[in-house]
Amino acid sequence: MRKNSKLSNLYLVLVFAILYAPIFYLMYYSFNSGGTMREFEGFTLDWYKEVFQDTRLLIIVLNTLIIALLSSAISTIIGVLGALAITYVKRRRTKNTLLTLNNVLIVSPDVIIGASFLILFTMIGIKLGFTSVLLSHIAFSVPIVVIMVLPKLEEMSSSLVDAARDLGASRREVLTKVVLPYITPGIFAGFFMALTYSLDDFAVTFFVTGNGFSTLSVEIYSLARQGISLTINALSTLIFLVTILLVVGYYFITQRNNRVKGVAIRK
Amino acid sequence: MQTKSRNLYLIPYVLWMVLFVAAPIVLIFYYSLFDIEGNLTLANYAKFFTPVYMQMTLSSFWYAFLITAFSLLIAYPTAYLLTKTKHKQLWLLLIILPTWINLLLKAYAFLGIFGTYGTANNLLAWLGAGRQQILFTDFSFVFVSVYIFIPFMILPIYNSLEEMNPSLIDAARDLGSSQWETFKKVIFPLTISGVKSGCQAVFIPALSLFMITRLIAGNRVITLGTAIEQHFLVTQDWGMGATIAVFLIIAMAIIILLTNNRRRSAR
């Protein structure tokens, strides 16, 4: 039995090592003065300097952030409205249809989403670039927000709303003072998920971005196709750090979620 | 009065659905009926059934199958061992963390690791096996894809293992089954729903990968995703691209029907 657990620990460690190796590999070579990912010649911060001096790259980073923040804010609004709408639909068939349609974009491969949006935008005459990228990011984030908010709404007991109504709250007050505060953790979780999906997306953006507009993923793709450049390594180290911050933030939100759930159960 | 204001929530959400879920699918079907000159024809469908495209479809399925099988082989023990650890939530978070890092950066890291003078080759040389061509081969393509998909396989399996009632295992052991028998007859059948949703989460994206094929497989591997991208963005033959997309959608629907569980998916 003892030997068994040692073996299983080894297995887990191995899986973790493989999962993290490429990430640390990138970070390690971002400090290499040699300019390749082969031999480590000496420590340098030159690649980081290059990242911060590259105005074009900084504009792309800014674009990526603006798209991510805007698209997740808008998709959170649409998604919350959608989740409210779905919970208010009483007919089971309609509800299931709505949920199935909601999931279409989640299970669809990125290539299909990208290609179909490309057709859509060309047909309705939206110029490829900022607008088309923003619209498609909103489009694929909405179902994610719905999925994160819906369980919160479903878990909310209807007696809360009834009580508020009995005490004379208007529909508007019920929504802003009872329902929205209750589902706030779900809304935040949805917003964060949408944010990370948007920051991470490559395939869809690649299809709907025009010549002049680029996001980080698309830029990394075109750089990587030209071969190895340690600027990408430096950039990825920075992205990795930001990602960790985001994940920690997300983790705390879900922790708070759990606590709220705990309270609800106790009640 | 009441239903009217409730329907107000539905407006933006349904608008989103019509524009970004329904319309794109309809447009894909519509475009598949046109050839490159814009004539209404079924030639694209005829072309899809020629040996060239059939072979591509088959190889695409074969690679997706390989990737799914290897992911499952590695992910199942990992998920199982994870449920046995202390602080499982933390370990699970660490498994998920790499998925939050941009896909392209991970793929790019493998350009360095698998390169002619990269770490993998240095290791091989040190072992006396000599330098090999690792990058731009089927092996590197499958390896990197499996690397990227493992967390998506671990998560649903982990969830279904967690949902399982542990007393069932005790009962099986008490009734005298060996460890292997317990696994085969109790644990695996009870977690099959997790395995199914894991396979669904890996197989569909694996069919439609295109940027890994370009970066890591050096255009040697052509999947349905690569072909769609090629037709839409390089040769500008949207009709043929849409036709392949139609078949990819059909394949996706079949896979979802096959792997869907009656109950809510473990994701």
Side-chain angles (χ1 to χ4, degrees):
Chain A
M1 201 64 218
R2 263 242 66 97
K3 212 171 114 207
N4 225 341
S5 79
K6 232 181 215 159
L7 211 68
S8 59
N9 279 342
L10 188 73
Y11 184 80
L12 275 185
V13 168
L14 207 70
V15 171
F16 274 102
I18 291 176
L19 277 181
Y20 280 90
I23 297 158
F24 286 110
Y25 185 84
L26 279 186
M27 291 170 101
Y28 176 71
Y29 279 102
S30 72
F31 299 108
N32 181 16
S33 63
T36 63
M37 281 206 272
R38 291 177 204 164
E39 272 153 72
F40 197 86
E41 288 178 15
F43 180 86
T44 177
L45 286 175
D46 283 356
W47 308 112
Y48 290 88
K49 226 183 276 164
E50 211 161 288
V51 169
F52 285 108
Q53 278 166 357
D54 191 341
T55 345
R56 202 181 99 80
L57 198 62
L58 289 181
I59 290 174
I60 290 171
V61 171
L62 208 65
N63 280 340
T64 314
L65 285 177
I66 292 173
I67 291 274
L69 286 170
L70 260 181
S71 71
S72 36
I74 298 172
S75 56
T76 304
I77 296 170
I78 302 178
V80 169
L81 290 177
L84 283 171
I86 290 180
T87 34
Y88 285 146
V89 168
K90 285 286 170 283
R91 275 188 58 201
R92 204 154 178 83
R93 283 259 316 268
T94 324
K95 201 172 197 163
N96 281 340
T97 316
L98 281 175
L99 282 173
T100 313
L101 280 173
N102 188 63
N103 286 349
V104 166
L105 282 186
I106 294 182
V107 289
S108 296
D110 291 347
V111 179
I112 303 256
I113 301 179
S116 60
F117 283 4
L118 177 61
I119 297 181
L120 179 76
F121 292 138
T122 334
M123 257 198 128
I124 50 181
I126 289 174
K127 220 175 126 257
L128 297 184
F130 180 82
T131 322
S132 61
V133 173
L134 180 68
L135 281 176
S136 35
H137 280 218
I138 294 171
F140 69 66
S141 301
V142 168
I144 299 157
V145 177
V146 172
I147 282 204
M148 302 300 264
V149 175
L150 210 54
K152 288 258 112 193
L153 274 172
E154 244 137 51
E155 140 199 318
M156 191 175 79
S157 101
S158 57
S159 53
L160 269 179
V161 177
D162 294 341
R165 302 289 312 232
D166 285 347
L167 293 168
S170 67
R171 292 193 55 78
R172 201 196 161 81
E173 280 172 324
V174 170
L175 183 67
T176 54
K177 300 223 164 112
V178 181
V179 179
L180 282 182
Y182 189 89
I183 61 170
T184 301
I187 296 177
F188 270 109
F191 177 79
F192 262 88
M193 272 315 245
L195 199 66
T196 46
Y197 267 66
S198 167
L199 286 175
D200 216 34
D201 179 69
F202 163 70
V204 177
T205 316
F206 189 66
F207 271 90
V208 298
T209 187
N211 279 329
F213 189 78
S214 180
T215 65
L216 215 47
S217 315
V218 176
E219 182 66 14
I220 294 168
Y221 177 71
S222 56
L223 284 176
R225 285 201 80 177
Q226 290 159 25
I228 284 160
S229 133
L230 292 192
T231 326
I232 307 181
N233 292 53
L235 189 64
S236 60
T237 309
L238 296 171
I239 296 175
F240 182 67
L241 293 178
V242 174
T243 311
I244 295 215
L245 281 179
L246 273 180
V247 173
V248 170
Y250 178 76
Y251 184 70
F252 276 112
I253 286 168
T254 44
Q255 286 293 89
R256 231 177 66 197
N257 254 349
N258 287 343
R259 213 175 306 141
V260 171
K261 210 183 272 170
V263 171
I265 287 165
R266 236 178 286 141
K267 189 175 57 200
Chain B
M1 175 70 217
Q2 219 167 334
T3 36
K4 222 181 224 165
S5 63
R6 273 175 185 174
N7 284 344
L8 275 178
Y9 294 135
L10 266 172
I11 293 171
Y13 185 62
V14 167
L15 210 66
W16 165 81
M17 266 193 188
V18 170
L19 204 58
F20 290 105
V21 180
I25 297 176
V26 174
L27 283 177
I28 288 262
F29 277 98
Y30 178 70
Y31 261 77
S32 70
L33 300 173
F34 290 90
D35 67 6
I36 197 161
E37 269 102 35
N39 306 314
L40 194 66
T41 167
L42 280 174
N44 291 328
Y45 285 89
K47 211 159 126 198
F48 188 82
F49 287 102
T50 54
V52 183
Y53 282 97
M54 279 288 110
Q55 205 185 353
M56 184 196 76
T57 311
L58 278 179
S59 83
S60 186
F61 270 89
W62 171 241
Y63 281 114
F65 168 76
L66 277 183
I67 293 166
T68 314
F70 282 120
S71 306
L72 181 61
L73 222 58
I74 298 168
Y76 201 100
T78 313
Y80 181 75
L81 294 172
L82 271 180
T83 58
K84 300 266 168 265
T85 53
K86 274 186 225 163
H87 312 295
K88 353 181 201 193
Q89 287 303 323
L90 181 72
W91 290 116
L92 192 67
L93 185 74
L94 284 176
I95 288 272
I96 302 169
L97 189 65
T99 65
W100 295 51
I101 288 159
N102 204 307
L103 195 81
L104 281 144
L105 293 178
K106 289 181 283 188
Y108 166 76
F110 280 102
L111 285 181
I113 295 174
F114 282 160
T116 321
Y117 297 97
T119 315
N121 258 326
N122 286 344
L123 193 71
L124 282 179
W126 182 73
L127 287 171
R131 293 185 188 282
Q132 309 278 333
Q133 175 70 33
I134 308 179
L135 209 58
F136 312 134
T137 60
D138 297 359
F139 165 80
S140 60
F141 171 64
V142 174
F143 187 96
V144 174
S145 311
V146 170
Y147 166 83
I148 281 165
F149 288 128
I150 281 178
F152 299 106
M153 186 65 102
I154 292 180
L155 207 59
I157 297 178
Y158 174 90
N159 284 340
S160 63
L161 277 166
E162 280 285 277
E163 265 172 36
M164 194 177 61
N165 188 347
S167 55
L168 288 172
I169 298 170
D170 296 337
R173 300 305 303 262
D174 284 348
L175 293 170
S177 18
S178 69
Q179 223 162 359
W180 172 241
E181 271 178 323
T182 316
F183 175 76
K184 208 173 64 178
K185 298 213 168 124
V186 181
I187 302 178
F188 192 75
L190 281 173
T191 53
I192 194 77
S193 68
V195 172
K196 278 180 174 174
S197 28
C199 289
Q200 182 185 323
V202 172
F203 196 86
I204 295 173
L207 267 183
S208 54
L209 281 174
F210 77 90
M211 96 336 123
I212 296 180
T213 56
R214 291 250 193 268
L215 285 181
I216 304 287
N219 291 341
R220 281 175 45 94
V221 179
I222 294 180
T223 63
L224 292 176
T226 327
I228 294 173
E229 189 251 358
Q230 180 86 16
H231 282 304
F232 268 94
L233 299 179
V234 184
T235 58
Q236 298 283 326
D237 186 357
W238 286 17
M240 194 60 217
T243 308
I244 303 170
V246 167
F247 282 98
L248 188 54
I249 292 174
I250 293 171
M252 192 184 89
I254 293 172
I255 293 159
I256 290 175
L257 281 178
L258 283 179
T259 54
N260 243 11
N261 311 304
R262 277 258 153 249
R263 40 197 214 95
R264 227 157 30 86
S265 93
R267 246 211 306 187

